[in-house]
Amino acid sequence: QVQLVESGGGSVQAGGSLRLSCAASGYTFSRLCMGWFRQAPGKERERVAAVYTGGSSTYYADSVKGRFTISRDNAKNTLYLQMNSLKPEDTAMYYCAAGVYGGPGSCNVGTMGRIPSHYYWGQGTQVTVSA
């Protein structure tokens, strides 16, 4: 059973930065494909960024390209999301998700998370960006 715990959310002004972390346990981290998702009130969940098991392949939503960077430290079992130049429209609950390599969930970074029940999810961390 994979456990995921997010941290690093908070309130910032537009143009500011935050770094989210997701600590994973319960499985070999290097065999997990990982992603960040977000959901704002009244909106559907959006895949923000994803990274393959070894970090060789990444995905970014068009809305965050050039501003957000996903990374993973397999030695620390931790996933990160560096968010720069934050905008009010980035305000949302941010969730970390993990898929087991070879498991039911796709580890293709472009499609990861399409079937939520095939992945493990954290509890989320709130990001609020004020104008």
Side-chain angles (χ1 to χ4, degrees), residues 28-51:
T28 303
F29 187 70
S30 60
R31 291 186 59 82
L32 296 174
C33 51
M34 304 293 296
W36 287 100
F37 296 73
R38 67 186 180 187
Q39 188 165 20
K43 295 187 176 181
E44 293 188 354
R45 187 186 64 247
E46 173 187 21
R47 183 172 61 251
V48 176
V51 60

Side-chain angles (χ1 to χ4, degrees), residues 3 5-6 9 12 14 19 38-39 55 58 63 77 91 93 108 120 123-126 130:
Q3 291 87 41
V5 178
E6 302 98 334
V12 295
R19 188 196 197 199
R38 67 186 180 187
Q39 188 165 20
T58 57
S63 57
N77 296 344
T91 295
M93 184 70 79
N108 181 312
Y120 296 93
Q123 293 300 306
T125 185
Q126 178 68 37
S130 58

Side-chain angles (χ1 to χ4, degrees), residues 2-3 6 12 17 20 22 25 35 40 46 56 59 65 77 100 106 113 118 129:
V2 178
Q3 291 87 41
E6 302 98 334
V12 295
S17 298
L20 305 184
C22 173
S25 60
E46 173 187 21
S56 59
Y59 162 89
K65 280 181 180 177
N77 296 344
V100 175
S106 170
H118 288 176
V129 185

Side-chain angles (χ1 to χ4, degrees), residues 104-117:
S106 170
C107 271
N108 181 312
V109 293
T111 59
M112 182 184 172
R114 283 188 178 175
I115 304 177
S117 61

